[in-house]
């Protein structure tokens, strides 16, 4: 029988032909609420993909109204329905938040990074990308995310400024990749307050996918002290490029990064400074983490994601 699949983001659900519901065994919504048509079909097994509960559990990191939207999606599922989460951290959040959820009906299927992320060993390609975005010669730390509060970018800026000032480092730069999100003003205020280091901080804005592998590969390390993530794709992209990672020790990061990177409390500025300095000073540490990163990244493939999804379907169908 066919699988009904819904991936609309927002807005009213599109009516489903009744014959399709009658023919299907499973209805799977990957973002939108489960429509009433599917909910009313008693013999139809329902799945809802859950990426994170950040708007509900940490509304301070999200635009107003996203918590209402997220709750409407989650509560469209009934106690007999099933969930597919992108990490065990999200699974735990879901089970703790929705008391009527049956844990055995909550499955995990890890996503993967695109094949566009790879170790770029072509020095001319790396140099070309550096020139394109105005990155000076010499080592650089890389940060990539939407410019918004949850990503903790001011902490990255302050830590970088401290390191180069206190250690009298004159050849290290910080590259911030990403477009403006919401409440990004604090980021630019922090930049203004770090005037001695400001000339060493490059904001690229949006970078297309084809330029990211050379950008990751050319970096001394990738810095991502986010306050919370449902999965945390940028650290995985960096690891797939063989770039050492400094990231947070919360939410899903231990699952994604494992022992391949440096994990720390995102509020611990001293530790972030020490980690930046350690990677700047130690080539052997960078090589060690690079090898571990490549090995860790191999665990996350779309083949594994598909297989985990199929296993969840078969479990629910009793196959």
């Amino acid at each position: 029988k066919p699988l009904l699949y819904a991936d609309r983001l927002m807005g009213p659900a599109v009516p489903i032909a009744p014959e399709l519901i009658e023919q299907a065994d499973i209805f799977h919504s990957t973002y939108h609420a489960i429509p009433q048509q599917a909910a009313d079909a008693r013999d139809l097994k329902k799945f809802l993909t859950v990426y994170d509960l950040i708007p509900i559990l940490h509304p301070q990191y999200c635009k107003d109204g996203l918590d209402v939207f997220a709750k409407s999606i989650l509560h469209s599922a009934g106690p007999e329905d099933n969930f597919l989460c992108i990490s065990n951290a999200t699974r735990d959040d879901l089970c703790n938040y929705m008391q009527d959820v049956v844990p055995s009906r909550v499955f995990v299927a890890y996503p993967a990074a695109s094949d566009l992320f790879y170790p770029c060993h072509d020095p001319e390609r790396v140099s070309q990308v550096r020139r394109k975005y105005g990155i000076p010669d010499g080592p650089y730390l890389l940060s990539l995310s939407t410019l918004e509060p949850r990503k903790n970018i001011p902490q990255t800026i302050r830590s970088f400024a401290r390191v180069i000032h206190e250690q009298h480092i004159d050849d290290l730069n910080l590259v911030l990749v990403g477009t403006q999100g919401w409440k990004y003003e604090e980021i630019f205020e922090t930049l203004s307050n770090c005037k001695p280091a400001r000339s060493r901080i490059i904001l690229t804005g949006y970078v297309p996918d084809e330029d990211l592998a050379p950008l990751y590969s050319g970096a001394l390390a990738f810095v991502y002290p986010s306050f919370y993530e449902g999965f945390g794709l940028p650290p995985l992209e960096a690891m797939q490029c063989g770039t050492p990672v400094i990231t947070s020790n919360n939410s899903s990061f231990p699952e994604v990064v494992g022992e391949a990177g440096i994990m720390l409390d995102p509020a611990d500025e001293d530790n972030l400074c020490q980690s930046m300095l350690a990677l700047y000073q130690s080539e052997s540490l960078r090589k060690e983490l690079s090898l571990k990163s490549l090995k860790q990244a191999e665990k996350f493939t779309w083949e594994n994601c598909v297989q985990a999804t199929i296993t969840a379907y078969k479990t629910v169908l009793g196959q």
Side-chain angles (χ1 to χ4, degrees), residues 90-148:
T90 294
R91 182 183 187 277
D92 292 343
D93 285 345
L94 178 66
C95 291
N96 290 332
Y97 170 70
M98 297 186 69
Q99 298 298 319
D100 61 343
V101 165
V102 179
S104 62
R105 295 182 179 275
V106 186
F107 304 87
V108 174
Y110 291 115
S114 166
D115 292 339
L116 291 170
F117 300 98
Y118 60 92
C120 181
H121 299 303
D122 181 353
E124 178 52 38
R125 178 69 179 125
V126 173
S127 295
Q128 180 187 31
V129 170
R130 290 180 69 131
R131 291 193 299 269
K132 180 177 179 180
Y133 297 102
I135 302 172
D137 291 336
Y140 65 91
L141 300 172
L142 177 67
S143 173
L144 186 152
S145 68
T146 304
L147 305 185
E148 62 182 23

Side-chain angles (χ1 to χ4, degrees), residues 155-278:
Q155 182 83 299
T156 300
I157 295 170
R158 287 191 298 268
S159 298
F160 169 76
R162 273 186 58 188
V163 168
I164 63 172
H165 172 70
E166 295 175 2
Q167 301 297 321
H168 306 289
I169 297 172
D170 59 7
D171 65 343
L172 183 63
N173 294 287
L174 172 64
V175 178
L176 301 176
V177 176
T179 56
Q180 294 179 1
W182 75 298
K183 290 189 176 181
Y184 57 83
E185 293 82 5
E186 183 187 355
I187 296 171
F188 291 92
E189 290 175 6
T190 305
L191 286 169
S192 298
N193 293 332
C194 294
K195 290 182 180 178
R198 181 62 186 90
S199 63
R200 308 268 288 278
I201 301 174
I202 298 94
L203 281 77
T204 68
Y206 170 77
V207 172
D209 287 347
E210 59 267 24
D211 290 343
L212 289 177
L215 204 54
Y216 275 122
S217 300
L220 196 74
F222 181 67
V223 185
Y224 197 80
S226 173
F227 285 117
Y228 212 86
E229 297 289 336
F231 180 77
L233 195 56
L236 178 57
E237 294 171 351
M239 291 192 299
Q240 197 163 291
C241 294
T243 305
V245 168
I246 303 171
T247 193
S248 302
N249 60 4
N250 60 28
S251 56
S252 59
F253 292 116
E255 298 174 65
V256 178
V257 177
E259 298 181 357
I262 298 174
M263 288 186 293
L264 43 77
D265 183 337
D268 190 342
E269 185 176 307
D270 290 340
N271 200 351
L272 183 53
C273 289
Q274 293 166 8
S275 300
M276 288 179 175
L277 183 60

Side-chain angles (χ1 to χ4, degrees), residues 24-95:
D25 286 324
I26 292 174
F27 179 90
H28 188 170
S29 176
T30 60
Y31 198 87
H32 204 283
I34 295 174
Q36 196 62 45
Q37 276 183 286
D40 290 341
R42 302 183 65 177
D43 294 333
L44 189 65
K45 304 297 184 182
K46 273 79 75 176
F47 272 86
L48 182 65
T49 291
V50 180
Y51 300 95
D52 62 67
L53 275 72
I54 295 171
I56 299 171
L57 303 181
H58 304 283
Q60 69 272 26
Y61 299 140
C62 301
K63 294 180 179 179
D64 292 342
L66 277 182
D67 58 331
V68 176
F69 176 61
K71 288 176 182 178
S72 70
I73 293 175
L74 292 182
H75 291 291
S76 71
E80 298 301 315
D81 294 336
N82 310 278
F83 299 86
L84 203 64
C85 298
I86 61 172
S87 67
N88 278 298
T90 294
R91 182 183 187 277
D92 292 343
D93 285 345
L94 178 66
C95 291

